[in-house]
Amino acid sequence: MNLPLLAGFQAFLQNSHTLVHLGLLLLLGYVGGRVASRLRAPRVSGYIVTGMLFGPSILGVFHEELVKEDLVLVTDIALSVIAFSIGGSLVLAKLKRLGKEILWITPIQALAAFFFTTVLVAIALPLIGAGWTDAVSPLGRVFFPIALVIGAISAATAPATTLAIIHEYRAKGPLTTVLLGVVALDDGLTILLFAFAMSVAQALTARGTLSWQNVAVLPGLHIVAALALGAAGGLCLRWFLHLVRRKEAMLGVVLGSIFLMSGLAMGFGSSPLLANMILGFMVANFVRSDQDLFAVVEGIEEPIFAMFFTLAGAHLDLRVVQTAGSLALVISLGRFGGKLLGCRLGGEISDASRTVKRYLGLGLLPAAGVTVGLVLLAAESLGPSRMSEMMVSAVLGSVILNELLAPILVRYALGRAGETGKV
C-alpha cells in the first residue's frame, strides 16, 4: 500500500468516532474468520491474526489508545457473556452423572497446569524480562504476581475447539465422555483460580509483601462477594422473568442482568467473571422459563466474539515479540506438562481406564476464548506497564501456538482411542 495514503487513512481513523472502529472490528473480523475457515483453521485464529494485521504494530488501523482504552468495554462484555455461558454448563443433574473420574481429574489437571506454568514463568521471567523492570527476583514485586496470573490463565481449556473436533469426527466412547465432562468443568475452575490469583497479584503489586491477609483473606473476601452477587442476581432474575411475556424482550432482560452483575462486581472490587458464572449456574439450575435463556444469548455471541478476538489480536505488540516469543514457549511447555501429568495422576487416583490416562491430556490442550479474555482483563486490572504488554503478547503467542498444534493432538488422541466415527 502507498505509504502516504496509509498515513492519511490512519490520520482519518485517529479522529473518527468509536462506532467506526466497532464497525471495522465486526467487518474485518468476519473476513478473517471466513479466510481461516477456508484454510480449515479455527475461526478464532482468523480473528486474532486479523487483529494483529490491522493493529498498532503493523497497519495501525486500530491505534494504540483505541485498543487499550476506548474499546475496553468490548472485552468486558464478551467476557461477561462467556462466563454466563460457562455457568450455564454446570447443571447439577449432569454433574452427578459425570462420575468420580471427571471429579478427580478436573481439579488435579487444572491445578497442575497452574502450578507448572507459574513455577516455569517465575523462573524464566528474571532471565527473559531482564531490563523490563527493576525487580531482581522471581519472588519480587513484579515477577511473581505476573507468573501467578499467567499460571491461573493457563488452567483454561477451549471448549469450542474440542467440541468442533468431536463433532467433525463423530467421536463417541469412554474417552470422549470423560473429555466432555472435564471441558465443561475446567473453565469454571479456571475462573475461580483467576479470581484468587488476581486478588493476590493486586495485593502484592500494591504492598509488595506476602502476608496472610494478602494471600488468603483478601482473595477469599473478593471471591465470596462475587459468589454472593451472582447468587442474588440469579434469585432476582428468577422473579423478574415472571414479568416478561414477549420473547423479543427476553434478550434485553438477560443481557441487562449480565451487565449489571459485571458492573456491581467491579464496583465491589470482585471478579465480574465469577459473578456471572454463578449467575449462569443459578439460571441453569434454579430458574424455570418457557424459553432457553442460554439459546437467547447464543444468537448474538458470534458478532461479539468476532469483535473480541479481533481486538485481542490487536493487543499483540511486535516490539516485544522476541522476548514474548520465548515466554510464550515457556507458557506452552508449562501448560502442556501440567495438563498431561495432571490427567495421568487424576486417572490413577480415580482408577480410570488406560485409554483415559494415556490420551485425555492431549484432548485438553486447546486454549483460546477464556485464555485470551482473562489475560486482557488481567492487563487492564494490573495497569499499563511494559511487563503487562509482554504478558499479553506472550499469552496471545501461546494461544496461537496452541491453535496450530492442539487440534491435531486432539484428533490424534481420539483416533488412538478408537472413538472416531470417520477416518
Side-chain angles (χ1 to χ4, degrees), residues 384-408:
S385 69
R386 298 180 74 194
M387 286 297 292
S388 291
E389 292 174 3
M390 186 169 72
M391 176 182 69
V392 172
S393 295
V395 172
L396 287 179
S398 70
V399 166
I400 294 171
L401 184 62
N402 271 283
E403 287 298 301
L404 292 174
L405 297 178
I408 299 172

Side-chain angles (χ1 to χ4, degrees), residues 22-170:
L22 285 174
L24 287 173
L25 276 178
L26 277 168
L27 296 174
L28 293 174
Y30 170 78
V31 173
R34 283 294 301 271
V35 171
S37 296
R38 290 290 181 89
L39 297 175
R40 298 184 179 274
R43 283 198 301 272
V44 64
S45 299
Y47 298 149
I48 292 175
V49 171
T50 299
M52 291 166 53
L53 180 62
F54 290 95
S57 294
I58 302 181
L59 295 180
V61 172
F62 304 120
H63 55 84
E64 190 166 354
E65 181 182 351
L66 180 83
V67 169
K68 296 183 178 179
E69 297 179 20
D70 297 346
L71 294 180
V72 167
L73 187 61
V74 172
T75 299
D76 294 336
I77 289 173
L79 284 176
S80 299
V81 173
I82 289 173
F84 178 75
S85 298
I86 290 172
S89 69
L90 304 178
V91 181
L92 288 174
K94 293 181 180 179
L95 295 179
K96 291 177 181 178
R97 298 195 300 266
L98 291 178
K100 66 176 184 177
E101 293 180 8
I102 295 169
L103 296 180
W104 273 108
I105 292 173
T106 301
I108 291 175
Q109 58 83 28
L111 289 171
F114 172 49
F115 176 77
F116 273 60
T117 308
T118 299
V119 170
L120 285 182
V121 172
I123 293 172
L125 265 179
L127 304 175
I128 295 174
W132 285 75
T133 175
D134 293 332
V136 294
S137 165
L139 290 176
R141 191 179 181 89
V142 175
F143 289 141
F144 181 70
I146 292 292
L148 191 69
V149 171
I150 291 176
I153 292 170
S154 298
T157 298
T161 303
T162 304
L163 286 172
I165 295 170
I166 288 174
H167 291 162
E168 180 182 356
Y169 288 90
R170 298 196 291 273

Side-chain angles (χ1 to χ4, degrees), residues 298-336:
E298 285 173 7
I300 64 165
E301 280 184 350
E302 190 63 29
I304 290 177
F305 292 166
M307 288 193 296
F308 167 61
F309 285 116
T310 305
L311 183 62
H315 278 78
L316 189 67
D317 191 345
L318 294 183
R319 294 171 297 180
V320 298
V321 71
Q322 183 177 359
T323 303
S326 302
L327 188 57
L329 183 59
V330 171
I331 294 170
S332 298
L333 289 175
R335 183 176 178 276
F336 280 24

